[in-house]
Amino acid sequence: MEFFVVQALTGLASAASLFLVASGLSIIFGVTRIVNFAHGAFYMLGAYAAFTFTERWTGAFGFWGGILLASLAVAVVGALVEMILLRRIYRAPELFQLLATFGVTLMVEDLVVLIWGPEDLIGPRAPGFKGAVEVFGQLVPTYDFLLILLGPAVLGLLWLLFHTTRWGILVRAATQDRDMVAALGVNQKWLFTSVFALGVFLAALGGALQIPRNAVSHTMDLSIIVEVFVVVVIGGLGSVTGAFVAAVLVS
């Protein structure tokens, strides 16, 4: 019994990062209807960027600031990718979209190897969360408890964003009927770009938060994307709450 409790806690910690990535993909697909295979690449890029920032800056402010800055920087990159490439293929067949975003994945992976090298990188431990708590005689990292709390917190923030802001209402409306939103005079291009940037931010944040737990590798994009697609399909395309529940079940 004790073993299963500890494994459940570890699984919930992994589910938090998986939820962040899956919720971003779910939001993007719900609005743009694009099959974004490059989502895992942004997850990986967030981890590498966070590794670079946290290695340069020390202390709690440097670590958490580096995590946030890395996520924002990758979100900007994602917005540029959407404006330059994806905006041109929204009406294209899904297979074409899949191949195009897979091409982005390959380019990002080659770029990562060129900049950071092919070796796995070990990130720093999170300041203030370097210890462990004994649960039924087994040690569980305190950082895992932070991730367990982070998942529901992000879910709550996303719910507030989509239900209490005008932008969130437009996003939910676009999820139901994009043509009607366009007919009401909403600038679809910038709405899609902002949604894509938010989704990429969540993916990059999920990757950045993994650096104290796992080695940063140039293959981590392909290792996460399959699980993310499974979570999105189980939870329902465009459903953030469904992604949270599915992430817990899958993990």
Side-chain angles (χ1 to χ4, degrees):
M1 179 63 182
E2 293 83 358
F3 173 79
F4 290 110
V5 171
V6 173
Q7 290 300 309
L9 291 174
T10 303
L12 288 174
S14 300
S17 292
L18 184 59
F19 161 67
L20 288 174
V21 185
S23 62
L25 181 62
S26 183
I27 293 168
I28 290 174
F29 184 86
V31 175
T32 66
R33 299 294 193 275
I34 193 166
V35 183
N36 182 25
F37 200 86
H39 205 65
F42 295 123
Y43 165 84
M44 174 182 66
L45 202 57
Y48 273 100
F51 172 83
T52 300
F53 290 139
T54 54
E55 283 290 305
R56 291 179 179 272
W57 302 331
T58 59
F61 179 80
F63 179 85
W64 298 113
I67 294 290
L68 181 59
L69 183 59
S71 304
L72 291 173
V74 177
V76 172
V77 173
L80 292 175
V81 170
E82 191 276 339
M83 289 187 289
I84 296 172
L85 174 64
L86 302 184
R87 188 175 290 181
R88 305 172 186 273
I89 61 173
Y90 280 136
R91 301 295 181 181
E94 292 182 355
L95 181 59
F96 186 87
Q97 297 174 355
L98 186 63
L99 290 175
T101 54
F102 183 68
V104 173
T105 298
L106 297 179
M107 288 189 292
V108 171
E109 185 172 341
D110 288 343
L111 183 64
V112 162
V113 173
L114 179 65
I115 296 175
W116 285 281
E119 297 83 9
D120 291 355
L121 304 176
I122 306 299
R125 304 289 295 276
F129 297 92
K130 297 181 179 180
V133 177
E134 185 173 340
V135 179
F136 294 118
Q138 299 191 47
L139 296 178
V140 179
T142 54
Y143 188 72
D144 284 3
F145 288 100
L146 174 65
L147 292 180
I148 292 173
L149 295 176
L150 183 65
V154 172
L155 175 62
L157 290 174
L158 289 175
W159 188 91
L160 289 174
L161 177 65
F162 290 133
H163 288 82
T164 62
T165 66
R166 183 178 182 274
W167 181 84
I169 293 173
L170 290 176
V171 170
R172 290 194 294 124
T175 302
Q176 300 297 323
D177 193 334
R178 293 187 300 173
D179 294 331
M180 180 59 69
V181 172
L184 293 174
V186 176
N187 189 328
Q188 272 195 325
K189 291 183 178 180
W190 290 112
L191 181 64
F192 284 13
T193 301
S194 60
V195 167
F196 197 87
L198 174 62
V200 170
F201 172 81
L202 292 171
L205 181 61
L209 289 171
Q210 285 299 298
I211 62 173
R213 301 183 76 227
N214 302 314
V216 181
S217 168
H218 64 90
T219 61
M220 61 191 301
D221 55 339
L222 297 179
S223 64
I224 190 71
I225 193 63
V226 175
E227 292 184 39
V228 170
F229 273 114
V230 170
V231 168
V232 171
V233 170
I234 294 176
L237 300 173
S239 173
V240 175
T241 304
F244 178 79
V245 175
V248 173
L249 293 176
V250 170
S251 297

